[in-house]
Amino acid sequence: MPVKMQIQAMTFASQALDIYDVSDCISIASHIKKEFDKKYGGGWQCVVGSNFGCFFTHTQGTFIYFALETINFLVFKGAS
C-alpha cells in the first residue's frame, strides 16, 4: 500500500478508536471500511481484533497490517 494510503488507514483507525469502545471491533472495522470505500472506491475489507487468522487474495498494492494500542488492523481491497 502506498505511504499516503498507509497514513490514511492509521488515521481512520485512530478516529474509530476515538468514537467506539476498543472492544467494539465490528464498529471499528465498519468505520474504516466505509471511509476507505468513500475515499478510494468500493471493495475494501477490514479486519480488526487482537487474535485472528486470515487467508485471502487482495489487489496488488492495497494491503496493510498494523497495530494501534492493543488492537491489530488489516485493511485490503479484494481481488477483482
Side-chain angles (χ1 to χ4, degrees):
M1 181 177 283
V3 173
K4 183 178 178 181
M5 281 181 144
Q6 291 178 34
I7 292 167
Q8 193 67 71
M10 289 183 258
T11 299
F12 289 151
S14 181
Q15 289 171 351
L17 289 172
D18 287 343
I19 297 169
Y20 303 102
D21 187 86
V22 72
S23 65
D24 189 1
C25 293
I26 293 171
S27 294
I28 294 169
S30 176
H31 176 87
I32 296 166
K33 186 239 185 308
K34 287 176 184 175
E35 292 297 324
F36 258 81
D37 283 348
K38 277 194 280 185
K39 188 161 182 86
Y40 300 109
W44 289 91
Q45 308 299 317
C46 184
V47 181
V48 177
S50 57
N51 185 16
F52 59 85
C54 60
F55 185 83
F56 60 88
T57 303
H58 69 284
T59 303
Q60 186 174 356
T62 66
F63 172 89
I64 186 171
Y65 178 80
F66 62 96
L68 291 177
E69 299 179 19
T70 60
I71 305 293
N72 300 310
F73 298 84
L74 172 62
V75 181
F76 63 96
K77 188 168 189 169
S80 301

